[in-house]
Amino acid sequence: MLILVGFAVVLLSVVGGFVGSHGKLAALWQPFEFVIIGGAAIGAFLVGTPVKTVKETVAAIVGVFKGPRYKSADYLNALSLLYELLNRARKEGFMALESHVENPAESALFSAYPDIQKDHHLMDFITDCLRLMIGSNIEPHELEPLLELELEKHHHEALAPAHALTRVADSLPGFGIVAAVLGIVITMGSIGGDIAQVGAHVAGALVGTFLGILLAYGFVGPLAFAIEARAEQDSRIYESVKTALLASLRGYPPKIALEFARKTVPTDLRPGFLEFEQHLKTLK
């Protein structure tokens, strides 16, 4: 909603200022300038972007209007699942988790958290980490760089749509100049005709430059920043998982390991200490 409000403020400020300065609104209506600028930008985006990233960019644009992917309840569920897994491992040994990790779709532990179970990226991260802890005598200092590498790769992939849109935003002023140049070509062809018609062609050419800059800095650029911010926030849940598992591998009991993980949750989404403590008691 805040994004739509921001777009409305940009549009109303620019158009309202223009009209308030005695500009004629109809002069800004140049549909073929939109065709030139928008079509060229979309075409260049398709040329320079892998198919996978194109699909992810469309999904990211839709998703950014929905807000962060992970809400407070999702963090609470993820921490609760980790607590149950680590508590089971502490009582029965990590080998007791093998059947759950190898077949999470049939696991009673994972099935209790269907939203997490449907999140394939998060599930893969949790099960892959546990698989390393179960199947080897890996030390915390050996596991941590592996998890960091995995998080870095995931983060890089999550930011691909934002980077793709940023490149589009950077290209829009240039395509606005292309539209303006084409408008000047049309204007030169009408030299010697009606002066009002020549003036209209010049105005149309200038609108091309105006649209390219406005779309770049008022709409596409900010949208790319919003997608990047969403990706940054959504990555925090992976940090929480990593922190809990590493703390457990270092020998901390599940409650302490989960308290470490709780500290990594964004402040506005973090459950309170007493709230979290009471919630863990209900899992016993």
Side-chain angles (χ1 to χ4, degrees):
M1 180 60 69
L2 190 61
I3 295 175
L4 294 177
V5 171
F7 284 165
V9 170
V10 170
L11 200 57
L12 289 174
S13 298
V14 173
V15 174
F18 177 73
V19 173
S21 300
H22 309 293
K24 294 183 179 180
L25 193 58
L28 298 180
W29 177 243
Q30 303 290 339
F32 290 108
E33 301 289 330
F34 278 104
V35 172
I36 294 170
I37 299 169
I42 292 173
F45 168 71
L46 294 175
V47 169
T49 309
V51 174
K52 178 176 179 288
T53 305
V54 171
K55 295 178 180 178
E56 290 174 348
T57 301
V58 174
I61 292 173
V62 174
V64 77
F65 289 97
K66 300 178 181 179
R69 178 176 182 176
Y70 298 109
K71 309 297 192 295
S72 181
D74 297 309
Y75 280 96
L76 189 60
N77 284 336
L79 295 178
S80 300
L81 171 60
L82 290 171
Y83 176 75
E84 294 203 55
L85 289 167
L86 297 178
N87 208 31
R88 177 74 63 88
R90 188 171 182 83
K91 291 177 180 178
E92 305 174 23
F94 272 102
M95 289 303 297
L97 300 180
E98 186 173 17
S99 61
H100 299 281
V101 170
E102 294 302 330
N103 193 10
E106 303 297 329
S107 165
L109 283 177
F110 286 106
S111 297
Y113 302 92
D115 289 340
I116 295 178
Q117 199 174 37
K118 290 185 292 187
D119 189 336
H120 299 298
H121 290 297
L122 185 57
M123 280 293 296
D124 287 345
F125 185 69
I126 293 173
T127 54
D128 286 348
C129 293
L130 288 173
R131 195 173 287 114
L132 286 171
M133 295 167 70
I134 293 168
S136 66
N137 294 321
I138 193 168
E139 295 292 330
H141 69 273
E142 296 173 320
L143 180 59
E144 187 167 10
L146 291 176
L147 299 187
E148 290 288 351
L149 185 62
E150 177 69 18
L151 289 179
E152 184 180 344
K153 178 181 71 68
H154 177 271
H155 192 55
H156 177 75
E157 292 175 351
L159 290 178
H163 293 161
L165 274 186
T166 298
R167 290 193 296 270
V168 172
D170 291 341
S171 71
L172 282 168
F175 288 127
I177 294 173
V178 170
V181 170
L182 293 177
I184 294 299
V185 171
I186 295 172
T187 301
M188 297 304 292
S190 65
I191 292 292
D194 182 43
I195 189 65
Q197 187 178 19
V198 173
H201 288 317
V202 172
L206 294 175
V207 167
T209 303
F210 157 73
L211 286 177
I213 296 173
L214 178 63
L215 290 173
Y217 297 111
F219 294 92
V220 180
L223 188 60
F225 297 148
I227 291 174
E228 182 176 353
R230 183 177 189 259
E232 293 278 358
Q233 185 166 1
D234 288 348
S235 69
R236 301 305 303 171
I237 197 167
Y238 294 88
E239 289 285 348
S240 299
V241 171
K242 183 199 77 171
T243 301
L245 295 180
L246 285 175
S248 176
L249 194 60
R250 290 187 174 105
Y252 289 100
K255 277 191 176 181
I256 301 301
L258 267 296
E259 179 58 22
F260 287 171
R262 189 184 71 87
K263 293 294 186 181
T264 67
V265 177
T267 305
D268 57 327
L269 301 175
R270 182 190 303 166
F273 175 80
L274 293 178
E275 174 193 354
F276 188 54
E277 186 78 11
Q278 290 298 322
H279 178 74
L280 291 182
K281 290 179 181 179
T282 66
L283 301 178
K284 294 182 178 180

